[in-house]
Amino acid sequence: YGSQAANGVIVIKRKRGQEGSISIRVAANFSIDAAPKNKLDLMNSEEKIAFERGIYEDFPGLDIGGRVFQLLKDVDNGKISKVEADAEIDRLSKINTNWFDEISRLGFQTSHNLSITGGNDNTKYLVSGNYFNQDGVIKNNGMTRYSLRANLDQKLSKYVKMGINLTATRNEYDNVPLGSGQNENAGILVSAAQFNPALPIRDENGNYSMNSDASFLPNPVSLLDITDKTTQERLLANAFFEVRPIDGLLLKANFGIDRNYQKLKQYLPTTTLYGQRENGVASIAQGDNSDYLMELTANYTKQVGDHNFNALVGHSYQLFTYEMFSGKSNDFITDGFLYNNLGAGNAKRPTVGSSATKSRMASFFGRLNYTFKDRYLLTATLRADGSSNFASGERWGFFPSVAAGW
């Protein structure tokens, strides 16, 4: 109704309880996910060594960097012997780290559903729940979802009926930086595609190997140490009451809420390239967005011979609220706190932000439809819409209209 229906209305009808004995349904399914077989055709250690050797021999004076390239250059400059260089090159050729294999795994997902329906002449109900879990093909990447749906239709008397609809979901995500950034901002897939296969995962000191040829590029496996979690919750509920005091008159009240909550938590440990530069980086952000709705309508229908009348009057009121908070700090004495103790960071200027908004919309509306012999049509409407987003004295607009048809 009102301005909220200016572009039309989409009505979604979901499964509801049916009259009859209790019906219980249970369903479960499992599946396995695998990374595509047609992965990028990347060089292994031996191919990369042959490539650097070929460039050095075929294009004298062209410096492309690289460990093998530098060894060959040092031999020609007399800094090391050919035997020493060959021994080091042979050692590098045997490492052959497949970075995509190191960050990927066999994925797995499972889903479980339970629904209960039933009812009689006066009561009809449906309750269903779902659990879904997915472990992605990239390590440490996955999600879990819990959902609940319920509806109830209750006939309180010959003249009064009420109903309740409820949908609640909770999504929990374990995120891995899959982004398409480059260099120090490279995600795990870009880093795996560009990192040197002639390097082990960790060096002789137990630290993640760094690519001396591209020191700005993070070790792909180190990015799996990032703790990045997102929680999303949504509640969508409404209750309605219908009263038919006399023949042709329907009084209806509808109350609803749509609440969206999201929280993001991230910690970049010192084992990662970016986290090492900042000595650990922790951040938290959360937002709460709610929409409250009340609709009151009266609809009267009357037929007198070839004349059909339908009159509707109503009022709708909507309240929108939003709150946001975020905090970020760095320079921690240990990675053990993760994002659970921002105050332990020694950042000179920790980042803190917050905001809140509240707005309201209201509408008063009326409509009269007249039909003669189902052929001649006449409609008259009057709508008054108001919004708190406008300046005082400019918040209300009035919109009359008349239409005729044949």
Side-chain angles (χ1 to χ4, degrees), residues 322-336:
Y322 174 73
E323 293 182 358
M324 182 277 292
F325 166 80
S326 64
K328 182 178 180 180
S329 188
N330 66 318
D331 195 9
F332 293 88
I333 60 174
T334 175
D335 289 329

Side-chain angles (χ1 to χ4, degrees), residues 106-345:
L106 194 65
F108 180 78
Q109 60 178 295
T110 178
S111 178
H112 303 274
N113 297 277
L114 171 66
S115 66
I116 303 174
T117 62
N120 51 41
D121 290 340
N122 296 320
T123 305
K124 298 180 180 64
Y125 60 87
L126 179 146
V127 180
S128 66
N130 171 264
Y131 168 79
F132 175 82
N133 183 77
Q134 181 179 29
D135 296 324
V137 295
I138 300 298
K139 294 178 180 179
N140 299 348
N141 188 29
M143 71 161 291
T144 302
R145 180 179 66 235
Y146 309 89
S147 60
L148 172 68
R149 184 162 61 92
N151 56 62
L152 170 69
D153 294 305
Q154 179 67 49
K155 187 182 295 184
L156 300 177
S157 70
K158 180 181 178 180
Y159 308 100
V160 182
K161 186 173 81 170
M162 59 88 65
I164 297 174
N165 303 282
L166 171 69
T167 300
T169 59
R170 177 183 173 89
N171 295 334
E172 299 173 351
Y173 299 92
D174 289 317
N175 305 308
V176 172
L178 303 175
S180 58
Q182 297 291 327
N183 302 329
E184 65 272 11
N185 297 316
I188 195 169
L189 297 177
V190 172
S191 180
Q194 297 180 352
F195 216 72
N196 191 344
L199 289 174
I201 298 174
R202 294 181 181 270
D203 59 25
E204 59 274 10
N205 297 319
N207 300 317
Y208 285 114
S209 297
M210 296 304 299
N211 191 351
S212 59
D213 305 337
S215 58
F216 49 80
L217 192 66
N219 183 305
V221 179
S222 73
L223 297 178
L224 296 174
D225 287 352
I226 294 175
T227 303
D228 189 335
K229 296 181 179 294
T230 301
T231 301
Q232 295 177 336
E233 296 176 353
R234 185 174 187 185
L235 173 65
L236 185 62
N238 78 290
F240 67 88
F241 297 87
E242 293 183 356
V243 181
R244 297 180 182 271
I246 60 174
D247 185 39
L249 178 61
L250 173 62
L251 305 177
K252 186 173 181 179
N254 184 55
F255 306 92
I257 178 175
D258 184 2
R259 178 178 182 265
N260 286 277
Y261 171 81
Q262 180 169 284
K263 187 172 186 178
L264 299 89
K265 302 179 292 185
Q266 184 187 72
Y267 183 72
L268 306 178
T270 55
T271 54
T272 64
L273 182 62
Y274 186 81
Q276 184 182 42
R277 293 174 180 174
E278 300 289 328
N279 207 22
V281 183
S283 61
I284 296 177
Q286 64 183 42
D288 196 337
N289 194 4
S290 297
D291 177 359
Y292 303 91
L293 173 68
M294 178 186 71
E295 289 181 336
L296 306 173
T297 59
N299 195 349
Y300 182 70
T301 302
K302 183 69 175 179
Q303 181 173 358
V304 181
D306 292 330
H307 305 275
N308 288 288
F309 300 90
N310 176 259
L312 170 74
V313 294
H315 167 59
S316 68
Y317 177 83
Q318 207 161 3
L319 172 65
F320 306 91
T321 63
Y322 174 73
E323 293 182 358
M324 182 277 292
F325 166 80
S326 64
K328 182 178 180 180
S329 188
N330 66 318
D331 195 9
F332 293 88
I333 60 174
T334 175
D335 289 329
F337 293 132
L338 297 179
Y339 36 68
N340 297 310
N341 192 352
L342 294 182

Side-chain angles (χ1 to χ4, degrees), residues 12 37 62 78 82 151 159 176 237 245 277 281 294 298 373 376 404 406:
I12 301 175
K37 294 182 179 180
L62 177 61
K82 187 175 183 305
N151 56 62
Y159 308 100
V176 172
R277 293 174 180 174
V281 183
M294 178 186 71
K373 291 186 177 182
Y376 303 95
W406 176 80

